Amino acid sequence: MVGSSNVVRSLVSLLWAASPVISGALPVHWAGFERQETGWPTSIDDSVFNSSWPSFGEKSQRWNAYMAPSFNQVFLPETEQVLSEGLRYMTSNNISFLAKSGGHGYSIELAAAQNVVMINMEKFNYSRVNADGTATIGSGATFLDLIRPLAAAGRQVTTGSCPCVGATGAMLGGGVGRLQGLHGLTSDNVRKVRLALWNGTVIEASEKVNKDLFWAVRGAGQNFGVVIETTFQTYPAVNGGMHYEANLAFSVDKVKKIIDDMNALVPLPAPLSLILVGSVDPSTLETIVALNLVYAGPREEGRKYTRHFQNYSLSVEENMYSWDELPIKGAGGITLIKCAKGQNHVMYGLGTKRLDAPSFVRLWSEFGDFIKANPAANSSTFLVETFAQQGIKKLPDDYSAFPHRDGVEHLVEFEIAFDDTSVSKAADAFAKRWRDHFAQPKISGYKETHIYQNYAHGDEPLSQLYGREKWRQQRLTAVKNKFDPRGVFSSYHPIPQSLDAWR
Ligand SMILES: Cc1cc2nc3c(=O)[nH]c(=O)nc-3n(C[C@H](O)[C@H](O)[C@H](O)COP(=O)(O)OP(=O)(O)OC[C@H]3O[C@@H](n4cnc5c(N)ncnc54)[C@H](O)[C@@H]3O)c2cc1C
Ligand SMILES: *[C@@H]1O[C@H](CO)[C@@H](O)[C@H](O)[C@H]1NC(C)=O
Ligand SMILES: *[C@@H]1O[C@H](CO)[C@@H](O)[C@H](O)[C@H]1NC(C)=O
Ligand SMILES: *[C@@H]1O[C@H](CO)[C@@H](O)[C@H](O)[C@H]1NC(C)=O
Ligand SMILES: *[C@@H]1O[C@H](CO)[C@@H](O)[C@H](O)[C@H]1NC(C)=O
Ligand SMILES: *[C@@H]1O[C@H](CO)[C@@H](O)[C@H](O)[C@H]1NC(C)=O
Ligand SMILES: *[C@@H]1O[C@H](CO)[C@@H](O)[C@H](O)[C@H]1NC(C)=O
């Protein structure tokens, strides 16, 4: 970022300043600013770091190393003002960037962002419960950062299972979680967001102001600006915040029975959630079948559901956890293990209406064969998230940009994990084949393919993520063009800027 590239950039900003179209948007601030070695204006230069910085690796790290973006600078704004100036500087100088909240986003589209500036939001790591019971978080807060003060205040809201995922990042795509049967998606509970647009202008969006943007942020929210702060409505914690959990293990020959029993339990009662996990023991490569059952309520009530699976399981472990302990200790701590950053993960996922037992029987067997042939991928998993739907379904279909109110009865996900990249090709082929298998209407039970945006691989037609309805596509494209006219927030499932480009 020194020498000739600065000259080029100065020329670019001069050209833009001279252009009548752009000059209106250029802030007074730019008149005669001085450049330092970073090339950034001195007023915000302190917040910009290049690869010589000892913390560069740590500050620019993300969860997934597979098809990952790369960074030449880290912009670490501490205040809204600095964030706003930085955005203005970058867009005035045609510098590409990518925001980071929790760093767990894994779409392969992110690989197109090479040598860009990371806007690391970690200094906006705050979370508080307000007097009216709402909660306000900065976009650097993880799910755990949101959960802790809520639990301390005797409140709850829908959050993901993994403590380290960005609460804002997940909300932007919808936000599925164990409490969704009671409270809907994480994004269904947003009352207000504050965001910085491409040109540094900071605005709010809510039911009162910028309503179209407010609608679009909840489901397609990576597309319009950098979200700074979000306010959620929250609820009194159920059962004093103590939730029942059971972890069951099974032999592989029980897969059909488990799937039949899961199908029979649907529709789940609102406080219930099931996560069925397929994996292998990394030392023996023996296939594992595990079921995590959480009931947001008393032990005796939760147990009724454990009984469906208990008599044919290998083992059962029951716990009562305060709901803020669940992300750390739940499922035997596996969610915490999955926080580890920097591994390669090939990710595919989709929604299904029912679980096809023969497919799962075959999947378990082929997964075992796949790992035996590719032992470097022995920390891989696949999951079925069967969460109650009441909270999602009670809202009208046009409530937000989340288009799958009848599309995520079950979420089937493939996470093929490895350090040794020689297995990448086989990993992708395996997971993609199974995603495509489950996507067939006769297997999934849905006429159309439903892809939860945050679980998308990045190769799907966007209408599978954002909905096929013309009105949705029109509304999203209109909001995109209004708030991100130059498409600078288009690294992650970008909304087409023209209606013809929808597939
Ligand atoms: C281990 C694991 C567990 C998960 N569990 C769940 C779960 O239980 N429920 C669920 O719903 N999802 C879950 N997800 C999916 C998760 O919602 C997405 O990966 C999401 O993108 C993560 O957000 P993040 O902030 O951590 O990621 P990031 O990579 O920081 O962000 C993802 C995308 O959003 C953009 N972005 C980030 N911050 C902002 C901002 N402030 N303003 C605008 N754009 C921004 C980024 O530029 C990027 O394109 C999980 C993912 C993983 C890897
Ligand atoms: C910033 O961009 C937004 C969205 O494109 C636009 O509405 C607004 O007028 C711009 N602000 C300034 C100061 O130009
Ligand atoms: C990083 O920035 C410092 C000063 O801020 C500069 O001396 C150094 O050359 C830069 N390194 C790279 C790789 O750009
Ligand atoms: C801006 O960046 C894009 C893509 O990086 C490039 O194609 C374009 O030529 C650049 N424009 C200017 C004015 O530098
Ligand atoms: C946010 O702050 C809390 C408390 O200060 C800290 O425990 C947590 O690790 C921080 N999170 C991030 C993502 O920096
Ligand atoms: C387990 O219980 C169910 C009914 O609750 C019954 O149908 C099934 O046969 C039992 N299985 C075993 C192995 O006992
Ligand atoms: C499991 O994977 C790890 C990491 O790649 C490897 O060291 C180990 O040997 C593998 N286990 C088996 C049984 O192959």
Side-chain angles (χ1 to χ4, degrees):
M1 309 309 293
V2 289
S4 61
S5 66
N6 268 351
V7 176
V8 173
R9 221 172 280 133
S10 310
L11 279 174
V12 169
S13 52
L14 271 176
L15 283 173
W16 283 12
S19 135
V21 185
I22 310 285
S23 64
L26 273 179
V28 181
H29 178 81
W30 291 109
F33 75 85
E34 289 169 25
R35 288 178 189 285
Q36 290 216 326
E37 287 227 81
T38 60
W40 293 55
T42 49
S43 54
I44 53 173
D45 191 63
D46 286 356
S47 308
V48 185
F49 303 88
N50 69 16
S51 58
S52 315
W53 184 37
S55 304
F56 188 83
E58 181 207 329
K59 297 297 182 190
S60 61
Q61 190 164 38
R62 305 178 78 269
W63 182 72
N64 197 1
Y66 178 75
M67 299 292 278
S70 72
F71 306 96
N72 53 19
Q73 288 183 314
V74 171
F75 175 38
L76 204 58
E78 267 184 73
T79 63
E80 199 170 286
Q81 176 66 22
V82 171
L83 170 64
S84 166
E85 283 189 43
L87 278 168
R88 214 146 53 201
Y89 168 71
M90 288 189 283
T91 52
S92 304
N93 289 280
N94 207 14
I95 298 173
S96 303
F97 54 82
L98 185 73
K100 173 189 160 176
S101 284
H104 279 63
Y106 51 68
S107 171
I108 60 164
E109 295 162 308
L110 290 170
Q114 293 300 313
N115 292 311
V116 304
V117 175
M118 170 185 277
I119 306 179
N120 185 328
M121 294 301 288
E122 73 172 39
K123 305 261 180 185
F124 292 77
N125 166 18
Y126 56 85
S127 177
R128 60 169 189 268
V129 180
N130 306 309
D132 62 359
T134 60
T136 300
I137 60 165
S139 60
T142 61
F143 269 135
L144 192 63
D145 296 332
L146 166 63
I147 289 167
R148 285 213 162 123
L150 275 178
R155 312 285 302 178
Q156 66 181 34
V157 75
T158 307
T159 53
S161 323
C162 231
C164 44
V165 168
T168 301
M171 175 280 285
L172 298 174
V176 298
R178 287 176 176 130
L179 295 175
Q180 69 181 38
L182 297 166
H183 312 308
L185 303 165
T186 303
S187 61
D188 291 341
N189 295 292
V190 174
R191 289 293 149 261
K192 189 169 74 182
V193 293
R194 194 170 168 78
L195 68 170
L197 303 177
W198 66 280
N199 54 10
T201 298
V202 173
I203 61 169
E204 284 194 356
S206 70
E207 285 301 350
K208 294 200 190 92
V209 288
N210 294 310
K211 284 176 74 164
D212 267 12
L213 176 60
F214 186 57
W215 177 85
V217 157
R218 297 167 297 159
Q222 305 87 353
N223 269 281
F224 313 106
V226 176
V227 172
I228 301 167
E229 181 175 286
T230 305
T231 300
F232 296 94
Q233 76 184 24
T234 72
Y235 307 84
V238 168
N239 197 40
M242 296 304 290
H243 297 179
Y244 167 85
E245 177 195 58
N247 290 309
L248 300 99
F250 302 88
S251 55
V252 172
D253 61 324
K254 298 300 188 299
V255 168
K256 182 182 180 316
K257 175 102 181 91
I258 300 165
I259 297 292
D260 288 346
D261 283 349
M262 284 175 74
N263 278 321
L265 273 180
V266 170
L268 261 45
L272 184 61
S273 57
L274 307 171
I275 304 181
L276 181 64
V277 183
S279 62
V280 303
D281 178 321
S283 47
T284 63
L285 303 189
E286 233 168 88
T287 320
I288 293 172
V289 184
L291 180 69
N292 172 260
L293 182 156
V294 174
Y295 187 88
R299 185 187 293 265
E300 312 77 65
E301 280 179 39
R303 264 196 178 153
K304 287 189 226 156
Y305 305 99
T306 304
R307 282 201 201 104
H308 287 258
F309 304 96
Q310 190 162 8
N311 66 350
Y312 59 95
S313 68
L314 297 171
S315 63
V316 185
E317 176 212 271
E318 293 176 284
N319 301 299
M320 287 302 290
Y321 284 132
S322 164
W323 83 282
D324 58 324
E325 290 179 304
L326 209 44
I328 303 288
K329 299 184 181 160
I334 193 174
T335 45
L336 193 57
I337 292 165
K338 286 291 169 194
C339 286
K341 293 192 171 168
Q343 227 195 347
N344 293 286
H345 304 265
V346 170
M347 309 291 293
Y348 285 89
L350 78 164
T352 72
K353 192 171 181 65
R354 60 186 192 85
L355 300 175
D356 183 62
S359 296
F360 281 98
V361 169
R362 195 151 61 80
L363 171 60
W364 245 281
S365 144
E366 290 191 17
F367 180 75
D369 296 343
F370 165 76
I371 299 293
K372 285 195 186 84
N374 300 279
N378 64 37
S379 60
S380 303
T381 56
F382 60 91
L383 306 177
V384 181
E385 290 180 322
T386 303
F387 296 165
Q389 301 286 315
Q390 290 85 336
I392 298 181
K393 290 192 170 160
K394 76 170 184 226
L395 294 170
D397 191 44
D398 63 356
Y399 181 76
S400 73
F402 179 83
H404 311 296
R405 293 196 187 272
D406 186 18
V408 291
E409 193 73 55
H410 308 273
L411 282 163
V412 179
E413 290 158 70
F414 299 90
E415 184 234 342
I416 312 299
F418 49 91
D419 295 314
D420 171 1
T421 52
S422 69
V423 303
S424 303
K425 264 211 162 107
D428 185 67
F430 178 83
K432 182 176 196 301
R433 180 163 62 79
W434 277 100
R435 189 270 316 265
D436 292 347
H437 172 80
F438 279 105
Q440 301 172 83
K442 67 174 195 286
I443 304 293
S444 80
Y446 288 127
K447 267 209 310 278
E448 318 276 16
T449 303
H450 285 274
I451 309 279
Y452 167 39
Q453 195 243 34
N454 274 333
Y455 289 178
H457 179 71
D459 65 336
E460 305 90 346
L462 287 172
S463 56
Q464 295 183 354
L465 279 62
Y466 291 122
R468 270 163 207 77
E469 303 92 327
K470 262 273 135 355
W471 67 265
R472 282 188 179 280
Q473 302 182 352
Q474 279 161 354
R475 197 166 178 187
L476 285 170
T477 292
V479 179
K480 178 73 172 173
N481 287 332
K482 181 166 171 197
F483 291 97
D484 183 24
R486 293 202 204 155
V488 298
F489 296 97
S490 292
S491 300
Y492 183 92
H493 313 314
I495 290 169
Q497 292 188 269
S498 135
L499 271 181
D500 310 333
W502 280 93
R503 297 281 172 275

